[in-house]
Every structure is written in C-alpha cells, then in structure tokens.
Amino acid sequence: MRPVIALLALLFLPSCVHVFTTRVEYQATAPAPKVGEAAFRAEFIPKGTESGIALSAMVVGGAMVAEVGPYQMRLHAFGQPGDQQWFEIKSLRLTGGEKLDAPMEPRGFAGRAEFKPTKTAAQTRASLLLGPYIKVDARTQRDITLTAEVLVMRRSGPARGTLSIPLKLSKTRRRESTNVVTEIARDIRDRDKPIIPDALPPPPEQP
C-alpha cells in the first residue's frame, strides 16, 4: 500500500528533473602538427564525475554533474588513402606549470594503429588508445603540452618525427530533462537487465 501512496504523491508533484552537465577537458590551441604528412590530434576522455543536487520550488530536483579527470587519452592521425599505413608512438610526455613533467611508460602506448577509411573519401584515420588513465589537476593545470615521438609508415617508407601539441582546459555545458514518473516505470521494467557500461565516444572526423 505504501508504494502505491508514494507513487500517487509523485503524480501531484512537478515531475521534471533537469540535469546540468559540465564537461571538463583539454583542447588543442594550435593547428594539428604533422609527421609523415599525417596530422595528429590528442583527445582527452573524462572518466570521472563530480555531482551535486539543487532543489527548486518549480521542479522536483536539479542534478549538477561535472565530467572531470582522470582522463583516458587517444591519439588520432589523419592521412590520405594509399599513403600512410600505420603509426606507432616511441615516447610520450606531458609537461605544464606547477612542475608537471610526466613521461609515460612504453607499455602505456604499446601497439600499432592502422589507417582506415573515414566518412571523408579523401581522408583516412588511425587511432591509438593509451592504456593508463592520466591524472591532471584541472584546478592548477590549465595549460599543458603533449610531446610525442612517432613513427609513421608510408607507402614510400618510414617517417619519424616529434609532435608538440599545446592544450588548454575547456568547459562545455549541456542540459537534459528527465520525467521522474517515466524513469521510475522504466527502472521497474528493466530492473533485471544487466547494466552495460558506456563505450568510448566516436573518434573525431577532423584533425
């Protein structure tokens, strides 16, 4: 009887919850550097969250979520069909203020990324997911630099060079609204279904 009364009470309350999400990440501040005529882009993927709740007389509640570090990083290279075949990372280091100087162990970037077709006919892309999570304090490290030595295998032979990618802290915000009654009904219906963790976001289409 009590669950029924609680559900009826919800029907007389405003049933919309607004979720305000802030994504904290690092974006390149200079054109994509090239090695072997392939343009490189670093991507920082937030893997942690900080949340809070705000109540209002007009809504049941408002949730505030910040997508923050630690970060998982991917390095993308963009080339041309029939030219670049694959790339490898030989060394990688993050530097910045507050005495940030963090070389990554080779096992963190082991592997070879092969260039594959993209939605753009005249462009290929290779993406390498780095192993360890990267911890950067966004409160003090607002500007960092990624330096990497890479080897690109081209049709004409190997090309080796050093990348320097300056990155700056950025914040993007979005708002989503959820109907409480609908979500309760969905939770009851799907309570026995396994929870599948979120996959990685799709790779970028441009350097």
Side-chain angles (χ1 to χ4, degrees):
M1 187 66 180
R2 288 183 179 178
V4 175
I5 295 175
L7 185 58
L8 289 173
L10 278 175
L11 296 176
F12 291 97
L13 290 172
S15 58
C16 186
V17 169
H18 301 289
V19 179
F20 301 89
T21 302
T22 300
R23 185 180 178 91
V24 182
E25 57 189 342
Y26 289 87
Q27 299 282 354
T29 59
K34 291 185 176 182
V35 172
E37 291 303 311
F40 283 81
R41 172 176 174 175
E43 179 188 16
F44 283 71
I45 305 169
K47 305 302 291 187
T49 60
E50 294 178 355
S51 61
I53 297 294
L55 298 179
S56 168
M58 299 302 295
V59 295
V60 171
M64 299 174 293
V65 179
E67 297 176 348
V68 297
Y71 300 90
Q72 191 162 27
M73 199 178 75
R74 284 192 295 193
L75 190 63
H76 307 279
F78 294 83
Q80 301 79 41
D83 190 347
Q84 296 84 2
Q85 300 174 16
W86 50 261
F87 82 86
E88 294 176 342
I89 300 175
K90 297 301 182 181
S91 67
L92 189 144
R93 179 183 298 267
L94 287 177
T95 56
E98 297 293 326
K99 300 181 180 180
L100 173 64
D101 187 359
M104 183 177 290
E105 294 185 8
R107 62 183 179 181
F109 49 78
R112 177 179 294 178
E114 297 183 356
F115 284 84
K116 298 179 180 180
T118 65
K119 296 178 181 179
T120 304
Q123 180 176 266
T124 58
R125 180 185 59 235
S127 302
L128 188 62
L129 181 67
L130 305 190
Y133 285 1
I134 300 170
K135 294 183 179 180
V136 182
D137 189 347
R139 295 170 297 180
T140 59
Q141 300 294 342
R142 304 189 67 84
D143 297 276
I144 61 177
T145 299
L146 183 149
T147 304
E149 186 178 2
V150 298
L151 175 67
V152 179
M153 179 58 70
R154 305 182 65 185
R155 180 176 53 185
S156 58
R160 189 164 181 158
T162 300
L163 306 170
S164 181
I165 305 177
L167 301 132
K168 189 177 185 65
L169 185 73
S170 69
K171 295 182 180 181
T172 54
R173 295 178 173 86
R174 68 178 185 271
R175 169 182 165 178
E176 298 174 352
S177 298
T178 301
N179 185 280
V180 176
V181 176
T182 301
E183 288 300 313
I184 290 175
R186 182 180 294 119
D187 288 343
I188 293 173
R189 184 179 66 248
D190 300 336
R191 61 189 175 188
D192 295 326
K193 293 183 180 179
I195 298 175
I196 301 174
D198 293 337
L200 291 170
E205 292 297 326
Q206 297 296 330

